[in-house]
Amino acid sequence: MPKYTANAYLAHKGNIVEPGEELELTAKQVEYLKDKVSEVKKGAAKTSANSDVKKEESKETK
């Protein structure tokens, strides 16, 4: 199942999910929740985080 990030507090499988936490949902669940969740893009977060680290490293070496 695809992973999503909660944009609001949710109840999922008997647990409270805080905004920013990741969870796996079916297409039907996503349709019901609509803008309360966002799909996690594979590799996008890692790339931006790595580029930020590289920028900081290059500033420190100058």
Side-chain angles (χ1 to χ4, degrees):
M1 281 189 284
K3 289 195 176 192
Y4 292 85
T5 302
N7 296 330
Y9 283 93
L10 304 171
H12 181 65
K13 295 184 179 180
N15 297 315
I16 300 296
V17 179
E18 294 185 15
E21 286 187 53
E22 289 187 6
L23 61 158
E24 291 184 355
L25 300 171
T26 64
K28 191 170 189 169
Q29 290 170 318
V30 173
E31 184 179 321
Y32 178 77
L33 292 169
K34 299 184 183 186
D35 64 340
K36 293 181 179 156
V37 294
S38 301
E39 187 172 6
V40 174
K41 304 291 182 194
K42 293 181 182 179
K46 292 179 182 177
T47 304
S48 64
N50 289 339
S51 64
D52 290 344
V53 170
K54 289 179 183 177
K55 288 178 187 175
E56 288 298 319
E57 288 175 353
S58 68
K59 288 180 183 177
E60 290 174 2
T61 57
K62 289 182 179 179

